[in-house]
Amino acid sequence: MAIASPENKKPTHILFSAFPAWGHVRPFCVLAARLVKDDEKIILTLILAPTLLSKAQAEIWAEFRGAVSDDIRRRIRVLSSFKSGSNDLFTLFAPLAKSYATSYQALSQSRAVSCAVTGTVFDAVSPPSIVILDFFAYAQLQATRTITGCSVPIVSWVTGHTASTIRLFGPTDRGGHGDLDARNAEEALRIGVTPREIGDSLYRHTDGTVVRIPGIPPMYDWEFFPQELYQRSLKECDAVLTTSAYALEAESLEGLRSWFSEWKKDLYVIGPLLPSEYGRVAADSAPGFPETREFLDKALAEHGERSVMLISFGTIFWPTRQDYIEEVVEALIENDFPFIISYASPFATLSDGLIQKMKSSGLGHTSKCFPQQFILNHPAAGWFITHGGHNSVMEALGSGIPMICWPMEADQAAAAAHLTANLKVAFELVEVRTGLSGMKPLLRLESPDGTGRCQAKGTREAVGVEIRGVIQACRGEKGDELRANAREMKRRLVEAVEVGGVSRVELGRFFEKYDRPVL
């Protein structure tokens, strides 16, 4: 996307801050680099949690492939507004929100700001003219409004699958929870307790109600919680940017746009935000790269193209049942199916015995840190067992790789339903579900014997039967069908971000409206 930049145009200073999770930040890093490359008048400041500082910098500079000028380094400013030794994202959220206000106050007064972690001082520049905030960052939105009122537009940054955004925050007539704050207050008053004591009980309440969200097969309400484990930002912002794509979920996006139109808010669909050289550049400097490339090259030589299974549940999630992971590994080894397991989550555990079994088999490769995008675009990569998080889905489909969904929480259950029933680019594992809600029936699936709704049995044996059936299907006609659909989705996603593509056009529309000086 090229943004017109006349000589007399005033600088556009864009400020970004997000929930301290990598999946919420990574897409913006790609966008930030592209904006600065395309328009020499754009300045970007990213205020992030300390845990994401180095990762964000690496992601941004990777877009320039080593050719980073002093001017570009001056115009992309990545900083942490506080120090912390914690890796827990919920622990990081409060200090990030609190320190953001101090940093924003300085920026709004054209004062220099510094990074609390590195000590780097960023020169004074013009005040922010657009503030883009994660839709979970309500405290930052309040601070922004307190300091600059309505003179600076605030745009909500929505990552994740659209259907789940509707479910979490949307009106009840579109399958959403409605105004949970109001419902919590009403219920607290009714039973004589405080809203804090109500907690998330209303959000997690299930009774078998059939939920109908645009673009998603009808689902029982309990299906949104397959494992044990604020609407206000959207309502009070000026516009919404979503990292999704029409090719992925057009009907759900139209449902979201219809809902926002009732609030007189514009929605801009600008995904997928994958690196500009996605799938074409080796990740030589990425952790674990040499060993991973060696494993993939060996698998390619011995097992052929599309032979390797990647297993990754992102940087936060991990299955609660270790024995289910063990059963999947045993099934892959038994079927001579090479695989890679990434366990980056702080909650992830793999027993020494399991790791040794993988190594001795010659079929498994595992590490806490992998170059996932490189893996998915290697000719040996064939399948991806994933929790179904939005970034992982975009990376898989951007590589034309079909998936096997193992949903955990958040937006993943609806994603699994959409990817399997509508797009037909994935299988879904049912038997891996756990917990009270996870063990209940799935509305869209019949049991294997056709006598009722499909539901998990809660045993390792059942997981073993299911995963072996899926492995066989991966290597058969059904697997070929899903792969063909994934490759077609890749083509459509690439088309969306090319010159004249729908996502580039929408981003251009956004800047036509909001690329203006502070009033």
Side-chain angles (χ1 to χ4, degrees):
M1 184 210 70
I3 303 169
S5 182
E7 291 297 323
N8 61 351
K9 176 189 168 187
K10 294 182 178 180
T12 298
H13 183 183
I14 301 172
L15 173 64
F16 172 80
S17 189
F19 185 73
W22 183 228
H24 292 234
V25 172
R26 186 175 197 170
F28 191 84
C29 293
V30 175
L31 178 62
R34 291 182 187 174
L35 292 176
V36 169
K37 282 194 290 187
D38 286 345
D39 190 338
E40 63 183 14
K41 296 289 187 178
I42 283 183
I43 300 168
L44 284 127
T45 301
L46 286 72
I47 300 178
L48 308 175
T51 50
L52 301 181
L53 185 61
S54 59
K55 293 177 72 172
Q57 291 169 332
E59 188 76 16
I60 291 170
W61 302 137
E63 279 287 292
F64 297 92
R65 306 303 167 196
V68 186
S69 66
D70 290 340
D71 174 65
I72 286 174
R73 290 188 183 277
R74 179 185 63 81
R75 292 189 291 121
I76 299 183
R77 303 126 54 86
V78 186
L79 63 101
S80 290
S81 49
F82 68 103
K83 289 183 178 181
S84 175
S86 174
N87 289 318
D88 179 63
L89 74 166
F90 295 105
T91 301
L92 295 168
F93 196 49
L96 173 61
K98 183 177 181 180
S99 60
Y100 166 89
T102 302
S103 296
Y104 183 66
Q105 180 75 60
L107 291 168
S108 68
Q109 296 173 350
S110 293
R111 291 192 277 120
V113 291
S114 61
C115 177
V117 174
T118 66
T120 302
V121 177
F122 297 94
D123 294 339
V125 294
S126 59
S129 47
I130 301 172
V131 174
I132 300 177
L133 297 174
D134 194 299
F135 67 126
F136 282 115
Y138 184 62
Q140 286 96 313
L141 184 148
Q142 288 180 305
T144 305
R145 286 284 191 235
T146 298
I147 293 168
T148 52
C150 294
S151 64
V152 178
I154 299 175
V155 181
S156 273
W157 179 252
V158 176
T159 55
H161 299 286
T162 300
S164 292
T165 302
I166 296 174
R167 176 62 180 159
L168 286 170
F169 309 114
T172 55
D173 63 354
R174 289 181 175 84
H177 284 289
D179 190 337
L180 275 174
D181 286 335
R183 289 176 57 200
N184 274 353
E186 182 180 336
E187 180 66 8
L189 182 64
R190 185 183 71 81
I191 63 178
V193 298
T194 66
R196 182 180 294 273
E197 290 174 283
I198 294 290
D200 65 354
S201 60
L202 288 182
Y203 163 65
R204 291 190 171 272
H205 172 75
T206 63
D207 56 15
T209 298
V210 175
V211 178
R212 302 180 189 278
I213 300 172
I216 297 296
M219 299 169 64
Y220 293 122
D221 53 10
W222 54 60
E223 291 186 60
F224 291 90
F225 305 101
Q227 304 287 336
E228 290 182 293
L229 291 175
Y230 291 129
Q231 185 190 64
R232 283 178 277 181
S233 290
L234 292 174
K235 194 167 187 177
E236 296 179 22
C237 69
D238 297 296
V240 180
L241 286 171
T242 176
T243 62
S244 192
Y246 287 111
L248 181 69
E249 44 184 354
E251 189 175 344
S252 294
L253 284 166
E254 285 308 315
L256 191 68
R257 189 185 301 279
S258 173
W259 161 33
F260 285 160
S261 69
E262 296 175 4
W263 285 350
K264 297 183 170 31
K265 298 185 191 305
D266 293 324
L267 171 70
Y268 301 91
V269 182
I270 62 172
L273 290 173
L274 297 171
S276 56
E277 295 296 311
Y278 184 69
R280 296 191 291 274
V281 176
D284 302 66
S285 61
F289 175 76
E291 299 85 356
T292 301
R293 180 174 58 182
E294 181 181 356
F295 178 84
L296 288 167
D297 289 346
K298 183 173 182 286
L300 181 63
E302 296 180 358
H303 298 270
E305 293 187 351
R306 310 304 172 200
S307 59
V308 174
M309 178 84 72
L310 171 63
I311 304 172
S312 175
F313 304 105
T315 56
I316 297 175
F317 295 96
W318 187 256
T320 57
R321 291 284 300 264
Q322 169 83 9
D323 58 332
Y324 286 1
I325 286 285
E326 291 173 354
E327 188 65 29
V328 170
V329 167
E330 288 187 4
L332 289 168
I333 294 173
E334 175 188 310
N335 284 275
D336 198 32
F337 206 132
F339 60 95
I340 294 173
I341 297 183
S342 171
Y343 59 113
S345 168
F347 309 109
T349 57
L350 289 175
S351 68
D352 292 340
L354 184 61
I355 292 175
Q356 183 55 44
K357 179 181 290 188
M358 288 187 279
K359 287 182 177 179
S360 61
S361 73
L363 292 167
H365 180 48
T366 184
S367 174
K368 279 188 171 291
C369 212
F370 275 131
Q372 181 166 297
Q373 295 177 3
F374 172 76
I375 295 170
L376 290 171
N377 286 283
H378 192 282
W383 291 88
F384 184 12
I385 294 182
T386 172
H387 59 320
H390 192 258
N391 278 352
S392 293
V393 168
M394 283 297 201
E395 289 183 8
L397 294 179
S399 309
I401 299 294
M403 290 160 280
I404 300 170
C405 295
W406 185 327
M408 306 279 175
E409 181 61 276
D411 59 348
Q412 299 149 26
H418 180 55
L419 294 168
T420 55
N422 294 343
L423 298 184
K424 293 180 172 54
V425 294
F427 295 108
E428 180 178 4
L429 298 177
V430 174
E431 297 295 350
V432 296
R433 292 177 172 238
T434 61
L436 184 61
S437 293
M439 300 302 296
K440 293 180 179 178
L442 281 69
L443 179 60
R444 68 189 182 281
L445 296 177
E446 286 190 355
S447 61
D449 59 10
T451 59
R453 298 291 94 191
C454 184
Q455 65 187 104
K457 299 179 183 65
T459 67
R460 175 171 175 164
E461 180 183 12
V463 171
V465 171
E466 182 178 43
I467 189 60
R468 286 170 175 80
V470 169
I471 288 172
Q472 183 178 3
C474 287
R475 291 171 162 170
E477 290 184 7
K478 184 64 176 178
D480 291 342
E481 176 192 346
L482 298 189
R483 186 175 307 285
N485 292 340
R487 286 176 171 171
E488 170 60 16
M489 183 59 64
K490 173 183 177 179
R491 184 194 67 78
R492 295 176 62 194
L493 290 173
V494 169
E495 187 179 78
V497 295
E498 290 178 338
V499 175
V502 61
S503 294
R504 285 205 175 194
V505 170
E506 293 235 345
L507 187 56
R509 285 179 48 238
F510 169 79
F511 276 99
E512 284 176 8
K513 183 167 183 178
Y514 291 101
D515 189 7
R516 55 185 173 80
V518 179
L519 298 177

